[in-house]
Structure formats: structure tokens, C-alpha cells
Amino acid sequence: QVQLVESGGGLVQAGDSLRLSCAASGRTLITYGMGWFRQAPGKEREFVASITGSGVGTRYTDSVKGRFTISRDNAKNTVYLQMNNLKPEDTAVYYCGASSTYFAPITQSEYPYWGQGTQVTVSA
């Protein structure tokens, strides 16, 4: 069993930066691909970024490429999402997920473990 706790969300202005953290407990993360998803009000949860167990491979949705960076520190059992040049359309609850594979999937069905989410609000 894996427990995930996100932190680092908040209220910022457009153009600002935030770094989200996802701390895991229960099992070491090194064997799991990890991902960040987000859900805006009235919308479905969508893929943002994912990273392989080793941290070598990453994937991003097009709207965040060049602005967001996913990384991980397996020694600390923590995954990060550095978000730069934030836009109002990035406003959402951000969720961290641990996948059932070593790879970096982009579909929610491959993530059996989820955190409780952290709110990110970007004002214009």
C-alpha cells in the first residue's frame, strides 16, 4: 500500500511559479512511475505530467510543455512538479498518483494510488 500527500499549492498571480511536492509512505517509490493530474471546476481530471521510476523518462501534456517540470528524489520518496509562468487556465486541484508500472503512463486507470489533492489558483 502507498500513501501519497501533496503540498505546495496556493494562490498566485499569472506569471508566478509554484512547486508542488508529493510525499509517499508505505513503500519505496523507486519501482513506481509517478504522475500529476489536475481537475478544474466542472471538468474531468486530466493528465499533466509523469515520470518513470528511475526519473529518466518524462511526459507532459502539450499545454504545460516548457513551463512545468516533473522530477523525483527517490531517496526522499518524493515527487515534484515545478510550475513556472503560471496561467489562469492552470487553476485546478492537482493530484499526485503512483502507477502500477515502472513507466510513465498518462491514463488515470494505470494509477491505483492517489493523494488527496492540493489547490492551485492563478489570478489574472
Side-chain angles (χ1 to χ4, degrees):
Q1 192 72 12
V2 177
Q3 293 81 42
L4 304 173
V5 178
E6 302 98 332
S7 61
L11 172 62
V12 297
Q13 294 185 332
D16 286 350
S17 298
L18 279 175
R19 189 177 80 156
L20 305 183
S21 298
C22 173
S25 61
R27 290 184 65 177
T28 180
L29 282 185
I30 196 170
T31 57
Y32 294 95
M34 300 291 294
W36 286 97
F37 289 71
R38 65 187 180 187
Q39 187 168 19
K43 295 187 177 181
E44 295 185 353
R45 190 178 299 188
E46 64 173 359
F47 169 75
V48 176
S50 59
I51 188 167
T52 59
S54 67
V56 172
T58 58
R59 304 171 77 177
Y60 298 92
T61 192
D62 286 345
S63 63
V64 307
K65 285 180 180 177
R67 299 189 298 123
F68 290 11
T69 302
I70 187 171
S71 61
R72 64 192 299 160
D73 185 337
N74 286 340
K76 295 182 178 179
N77 252 14
T78 302
V79 177
Y80 305 97
L81 185 68
Q82 177 67 42
M83 305 186 296
N84 297 330
N85 191 22
L86 282 161
K87 304 177 180 180
E89 51 263 42
D90 295 318
T91 295
V93 177
Y94 283 71
Y95 297 91
C96 170
S99 81
S100 53
T101 78
Y102 180 81
F103 302 103
I106 65 172
T107 55
Q108 295 184 57
S109 60
E110 296 188 78
Y111 289 86
Y113 306 109
W114 293 93
Q116 82 290 347
T118 185
Q119 177 71 47
V120 172
T121 303
V122 184
S123 62

